[in-house]
Short mmCIF file of all heavy atoms in Angstrom, two decimals:
data_model
loop_
_atom_site.label_atom_id
_atom_site.label_comp_id
_atom_site.label_asym_id
_atom_site.label_seq_id
_atom_site.Cartn_x
_atom_site.Cartn_y
_atom_site.Cartn_z
N LEU J 290 -20.36 30.83 -8.77
CA LEU J 290 -21.76 30.93 -8.39
C LEU J 290 -21.96 32.04 -7.38
O LEU J 290 -22.94 32.85 -7.49
CB LEU J 290 -22.22 29.59 -7.79
CG LEU J 290 -23.66 29.47 -7.42
CD1 LEU J 290 -24.57 29.52 -8.67
CD2 LEU J 290 -23.95 28.18 -6.67
N VAL J 291 -21.06 32.10 -6.43
CA VAL J 291 -21.15 33.17 -5.40
C VAL J 291 -20.99 34.55 -6.02
O VAL J 291 -21.70 35.47 -5.76
CB VAL J 291 -20.12 32.90 -4.28
CG1 VAL J 291 -19.98 34.18 -3.37
CG2 VAL J 291 -20.47 31.71 -3.45
N THR J 292 -20.00 34.63 -6.93
CA THR J 292 -19.75 35.93 -7.66
C THR J 292 -21.04 36.34 -8.41
O THR J 292 -21.43 37.50 -8.42
CB THR J 292 -18.60 35.77 -8.63
OG1 THR J 292 -17.47 35.24 -7.89
CG2 THR J 292 -18.25 37.07 -9.28
N PHE J 293 -21.63 35.36 -9.09
CA PHE J 293 -22.88 35.63 -9.84
C PHE J 293 -23.96 36.15 -8.97
O PHE J 293 -24.67 37.12 -9.27
CB PHE J 293 -23.28 34.35 -10.61
CG PHE J 293 -24.61 34.47 -11.34
CD1 PHE J 293 -24.66 35.16 -12.52
CD2 PHE J 293 -25.75 33.85 -10.79
CE1 PHE J 293 -25.86 35.25 -13.22
CE2 PHE J 293 -26.92 33.97 -11.48
CZ PHE J 293 -27.00 34.68 -12.72
N LEU J 294 -24.18 35.42 -7.83
CA LEU J 294 -25.26 35.82 -6.91
C LEU J 294 -25.01 37.23 -6.30
O LEU J 294 -25.92 38.02 -6.17
CB LEU J 294 -25.45 34.81 -5.81
CG LEU J 294 -25.99 33.45 -6.29
CD1 LEU J 294 -25.96 32.41 -5.21
CD2 LEU J 294 -27.37 33.57 -6.84
N VAL J 295 -23.76 37.50 -5.93
CA VAL J 295 -23.43 38.79 -5.32
C VAL J 295 -23.65 39.90 -6.35
O VAL J 295 -24.15 40.96 -6.06
CB VAL J 295 -22.02 38.77 -4.77
CG1 VAL J 295 -21.53 40.19 -4.41
CG2 VAL J 295 -21.97 37.83 -3.53
N GLY J 296 -23.20 39.63 -7.58
CA GLY J 296 -23.37 40.63 -8.66
C GLY J 296 -24.84 40.91 -8.91
O GLY J 296 -25.23 42.08 -9.09
N ASN J 297 -25.68 39.87 -8.89
CA ASN J 297 -27.08 40.05 -9.13
C ASN J 297 -27.68 40.87 -7.99
O ASN J 297 -28.54 41.75 -8.23
CB ASN J 297 -27.79 38.68 -9.17
CG ASN J 297 -27.94 38.17 -10.59
OD1 ASN J 297 -27.64 38.87 -11.53
ND2 ASN J 297 -28.33 36.93 -10.74
N PHE J 298 -27.26 40.60 -6.78
CA PHE J 298 -27.82 41.34 -5.62
C PHE J 298 -27.45 42.81 -5.69
O PHE J 298 -28.29 43.69 -5.50
CB PHE J 298 -27.28 40.70 -4.30
CG PHE J 298 -27.75 41.45 -3.09
CD1 PHE J 298 -29.06 41.33 -2.66
CD2 PHE J 298 -26.93 42.28 -2.38
CE1 PHE J 298 -29.51 41.99 -1.51
CE2 PHE J 298 -27.36 42.93 -1.28
CZ PHE J 298 -28.65 42.77 -0.82
N ILE J 299 -26.22 43.10 -6.08
CA ILE J 299 -25.73 44.49 -6.21
C ILE J 299 -26.52 45.18 -7.30
O ILE J 299 -26.99 46.29 -7.11
CB ILE J 299 -24.24 44.52 -6.47
CG1 ILE J 299 -23.47 44.08 -5.23
CG2 ILE J 299 -23.74 45.89 -6.90
CD1 ILE J 299 -22.01 43.83 -5.43
N LEU J 300 -26.69 44.53 -8.47
CA LEU J 300 -27.46 45.13 -9.57
C LEU J 300 -28.93 45.40 -9.15
O LEU J 300 -29.48 46.47 -9.46
CB LEU J 300 -27.43 44.20 -10.78
CG LEU J 300 -26.23 44.36 -11.68
CD1 LEU J 300 -26.31 43.26 -12.73
CD2 LEU J 300 -26.19 45.68 -12.34
N TYR J 301 -29.47 44.48 -8.38
CA TYR J 301 -30.88 44.59 -7.99
C TYR J 301 -31.04 45.75 -7.04
O TYR J 301 -31.97 46.62 -7.23
CB TYR J 301 -31.33 43.28 -7.27
CG TYR J 301 -32.73 43.36 -6.73
CD1 TYR J 301 -33.80 43.27 -7.54
CD2 TYR J 301 -32.94 43.54 -5.33
CE1 TYR J 301 -35.12 43.32 -7.05
CE2 TYR J 301 -34.19 43.59 -4.87
CZ TYR J 301 -35.32 43.52 -5.71
OH TYR J 301 -36.54 43.55 -5.18
N THR J 302 -30.16 45.95 -6.06
CA THR J 302 -30.24 47.08 -5.12
C THR J 302 -30.00 48.36 -5.89
O THR J 302 -30.64 49.37 -5.62
CB THR J 302 -29.24 46.91 -3.97
OG1 THR J 302 -27.94 46.67 -4.49
CG2 THR J 302 -29.63 45.79 -3.05
N TYR J 303 -29.06 48.37 -6.82
CA TYR J 303 -28.78 49.58 -7.61
C TYR J 303 -30.07 49.98 -8.38
O TYR J 303 -30.41 51.14 -8.43
CB TYR J 303 -27.64 49.36 -8.57
CG TYR J 303 -27.44 50.44 -9.54
CD1 TYR J 303 -26.73 51.60 -9.20
CD2 TYR J 303 -27.87 50.32 -10.87
CE1 TYR J 303 -26.53 52.59 -10.12
CE2 TYR J 303 -27.64 51.28 -11.78
CZ TYR J 303 -26.99 52.45 -11.43
OH TYR J 303 -26.82 53.47 -12.35
N ALA J 304 -30.71 48.99 -9.02
CA ALA J 304 -31.90 49.26 -9.82
C ALA J 304 -33.03 49.75 -8.94
O ALA J 304 -33.76 50.67 -9.35
CB ALA J 304 -32.33 47.98 -10.58
N GLN J 305 -33.19 49.24 -7.75
CA GLN J 305 -34.27 49.65 -6.87
C GLN J 305 -34.05 51.10 -6.50
O GLN J 305 -35.03 51.83 -6.36
CB GLN J 305 -34.28 48.76 -5.61
CG GLN J 305 -34.76 47.38 -5.86
CD GLN J 305 -36.16 47.28 -6.39
OE1 GLN J 305 -37.00 47.97 -5.87
NE2 GLN J 305 -36.41 46.43 -7.31
N LYS J 306 -32.85 51.52 -6.26
CA LYS J 306 -32.59 52.93 -5.86
C LYS J 306 -32.70 53.90 -7.00
O LYS J 306 -33.21 54.99 -6.86
CB LYS J 306 -31.17 53.02 -5.22
CG LYS J 306 -31.08 52.38 -3.88
CD LYS J 306 -29.64 52.50 -3.33
CE LYS J 306 -29.50 51.73 -2.10
NZ LYS J 306 -28.08 51.71 -1.61
N ASN J 307 -32.09 53.52 -8.16
CA ASN J 307 -31.89 54.49 -9.21
C ASN J 307 -32.88 54.50 -10.36
O ASN J 307 -33.00 55.48 -11.05
CB ASN J 307 -30.48 54.38 -9.77
CG ASN J 307 -29.46 54.67 -8.70
OD1 ASN J 307 -29.67 55.47 -7.86
ND2 ASN J 307 -28.36 53.95 -8.81
N LEU J 308 -33.55 53.37 -10.62
CA LEU J 308 -34.45 53.38 -11.73
C LEU J 308 -35.87 53.71 -11.27
O LEU J 308 -36.27 53.33 -10.19
CB LEU J 308 -34.46 51.94 -12.37
CG LEU J 308 -33.14 51.48 -13.01
CD1 LEU J 308 -33.32 50.07 -13.56
CD2 LEU J 308 -32.73 52.40 -14.13
N PRO J 309 -36.63 54.46 -12.10
CA PRO J 309 -38.00 54.79 -11.70
C PRO J 309 -38.85 53.53 -11.67
O PRO J 309 -38.60 52.58 -12.42
CB PRO J 309 -38.44 55.79 -12.75
CG PRO J 309 -37.61 55.48 -13.93
CD PRO J 309 -36.26 54.96 -13.42
N PRO J 310 -39.86 53.48 -10.79
CA PRO J 310 -40.77 52.31 -10.78
C PRO J 310 -41.54 52.21 -12.10
O PRO J 310 -41.88 53.19 -12.72
CB PRO J 310 -41.65 52.59 -9.56
CG PRO J 310 -41.59 54.03 -9.37
CD PRO J 310 -40.26 54.55 -9.85
N ARG J 311 -41.82 50.96 -12.47
CA ARG J 311 -42.61 50.73 -13.69
C ARG J 311 -44.08 51.26 -13.47
O ARG J 311 -44.64 51.02 -12.44
CB ARG J 311 -42.63 49.25 -14.03
CG ARG J 311 -41.27 48.75 -14.51
CD ARG J 311 -41.29 47.32 -14.73
NE ARG J 311 -42.22 46.93 -15.79
CZ ARG J 311 -42.51 45.66 -16.11
NH1 ARG J 311 -41.94 44.65 -15.43
NH2 ARG J 311 -43.40 45.42 -17.02
N LYS J 312 -44.55 51.85 -14.57
CA LYS J 312 -45.94 52.32 -14.49
C LYS J 312 -46.93 51.19 -14.67
O LYS J 312 -46.72 50.38 -15.56
CB LYS J 312 -46.17 53.40 -15.58
CG LYS J 312 -45.44 54.70 -15.30
CD LYS J 312 -45.74 55.69 -16.37
CE LYS J 312 -44.94 56.99 -16.10
NZ LYS J 312 -45.15 57.97 -17.18
N LYS J 313 -47.96 51.08 -13.84
CA LYS J 313 -48.94 50.06 -14.02
C LYS J 313 -49.94 50.50 -15.10
O LYS J 313 -50.18 51.64 -15.33
CB LYS J 313 -49.68 49.82 -12.71
CG LYS J 313 -48.84 49.16 -11.65
CD LYS J 313 -49.67 48.89 -10.44
CE LYS J 313 -48.86 48.20 -9.38
NZ LYS J 313 -49.64 47.93 -8.15
#
Side-chain angles (χ1 to χ4, degrees):
L290 185 67
V291 168
T292 307
F293 175 75
L294 291 173
V295 169
N297 268 351
F298 179 73
I299 291 169
L300 276 173
Y301 177 75
T302 51
Y303 171 79
Q305 290 296 319
K306 287 179 187 173
N307 296 328
L308 296 178
R311 289 175 61 186
K312 293 180 180 176
K313 290 184 179 178

